[in-house]
Amino acid sequence: TVKRAAGRDGCVISCGGGVVLRSENVEVLRASCKVVLLTATAECILGRTSGGDSRPLLSGGGIERIKRIMNERDCAYRAAADYVVDTTDRVPQDVAEEIIEKLKLKQ
């Protein structure tokens, strides 16, 4: 799926959190895409994900589970990323504008 998505031109791929934990996925993404890591505080993530069951990995563990997962994955996420953007307490429009600016600077 990652190969197929990364092979398309002019699109944004929204990867699940586990995608970059597989080195073959990172290789494919880095070869053909710019990878942007969107970060937020654990408290912000909890607020965004509570009240639904669309995130089974986060269900039932609260803030401590989120912090544990963030800690376990941080190095892999940052190693895969070309850019890091903090989304804590920001509206999507502001985040998108920052990403666009970062991409323009590297062209």
Side-chain angles (χ1 to χ4, degrees):
T1 301
V2 172
K3 285 181 188 177
R4 189 169 53 250
R8 300 180 64 185
D9 288 331
C11 66
V12 173
I13 304 167
S14 178
C15 298
V19 168
V20 299
L21 299 179
R22 295 183 65 184
S23 60
E24 59 268 24
N25 289 338
V26 174
E27 289 174 23
V28 168
L29 291 169
R30 297 288 308 229
S32 59
C33 304
K34 293 296 180 191
V35 178
V36 180
L37 169 62
L38 302 178
T39 65
T41 64
E43 294 78 13
C44 183
I45 292 170
L46 179 63
R48 291 175 181 170
T49 59
S50 61
D53 59 356
S54 64
R55 305 268 182 169
L57 190 59
L58 300 181
S59 66
I63 196 78
E64 292 308 315
R65 177 176 278 174
I66 292 170
K67 287 180 179 179
R68 182 179 51 78
I69 291 170
M70 288 174 69
N71 187 50
E72 290 171 354
R73 296 183 175 188
D74 187 64
C75 288
Y77 286 178
R78 290 181 186 276
D82 294 299
Y83 309 102
V84 178
V85 176
D86 184 7
T87 67
T88 304
D89 299 326
R90 295 179 69 190
V91 296
Q93 182 68 33
D94 290 345
V95 173
E97 289 172 5
E98 181 176 342
I99 293 168
I100 291 167
E101 285 304 310
K102 287 179 182 290
L103 293 173
K104 283 181 184 177
L105 291 174
K106 292 291 183 167
Q107 290 183 358

